[in-house]
Amino acid sequence: MTTLSFFDIDETVFNTFAKVIVKDKDGKKVKELTNQDFNKYKLKPGEKYEFDQFTNAKLFRDTSKVIDSVMKKVKEEYKNKDTIIFFLTARPDFDSNSMFKDTFRAQGLRVNDKRIRFELAGNLAKGTIPQKKEYIINKQIDRLGPG
């Protein structure tokens, strides 16, 4: 029987440091928001969000800090040959998939193994981030999980 293990990337497998930029109507940076700040921030009239840092693979690779206890759990799960590991993120595609995956390679993970998969919820068009992640998880359970 196949076991599916899902791990969120940001603030679960890695502490990450990308910021959401708030810009005014003229495109001038007003402020930078952490994930926590973004969840509470209300745009003022004329402001908009810019998420460019969340697609920057070099920033991800160079600044992410592994959460050792979770990475240990990932590796324990991976030892089971019947387990497929899914890494979830709210992010869309990175500007360099290979550089993004270098962060995982540096932890000793064989990212091109068919049992390690990446699901980027930011690529889905509809829904909130939790809804997108739920959709991905259910899709994979329906596809690969026990019938």
Side-chain angles (χ1 to χ4, degrees):
M1 179 183 337
T2 302
T3 300
L4 309 180
S5 293
F6 295 88
F7 294 91
D8 193 70
I9 295 173
D10 294 275
E11 310 315 317
T12 302
V13 177
F14 292 96
N15 290 124
T16 58
F17 301 94
K19 302 269 192 314
V20 177
I21 307 300
V22 178
K23 292 192 170 185
D24 66 15
K25 65 182 182 327
D26 299 320
K28 181 181 170 204
K29 181 167 75 170
V30 174
K31 62 178 19 185
E32 292 185 351
L33 304 173
T34 65
N35 287 341
Q36 294 79 14
D37 295 334
F38 172 70
N39 290 334
K40 296 178 270 179
Y41 191 80
K42 301 290 184 216
L43 287 173
K44 295 174 181 62
E47 289 182 340
K48 63 181 177 180
Y49 294 123
E50 176 189 280
F51 297 94
D52 291 355
Q53 291 187 18
F54 288 86
T55 61
N56 185 324
K58 184 177 184 334
L59 177 68
F60 181 82
R61 183 196 65 196
D62 293 350
T63 64
S64 294
K65 305 290 182 212
V66 69
I67 299 173
D68 291 322
S69 60
V70 178
M71 185 56 70
K72 181 180 177 187
K73 178 70 173 156
V74 168
K75 290 177 178 180
E76 286 172 10
E77 294 284 325
Y78 183 71
K79 285 179 187 176
N80 177 349
K81 299 294 184 204
D82 294 323
T83 296
I84 299 173
I85 305 287
F86 289 91
F87 289 106
L88 291 170
T89 182
R91 299 171 187 244
D93 288 330
F94 282 85
D95 54 7
S96 171
N97 188 45
S98 179
M99 193 178 294
F100 160 64
K101 289 181 177 178
D102 284 347
T103 314
F104 294 82
R105 286 184 191 97
Q107 298 302 316
L109 294 177
R110 295 175 50 216
V111 296
N112 293 328
D113 186 306
K114 66 181 181 177
R115 294 190 306 111
I116 294 181
R117 304 194 184 166
F118 294 86
E119 290 283 351
L120 288 75
N123 289 332
L124 297 176
K126 295 181 181 175
T128 64
I129 294 303
Q131 289 168 338
K132 291 175 182 182
K133 288 181 179 181
E134 180 181 9
Y135 169 80
I136 289 167
I137 290 168
N138 287 331
K139 177 182 78 172
Q140 297 301 342
I141 290 171
D142 290 345
R143 212 176 111 222
L144 300 166

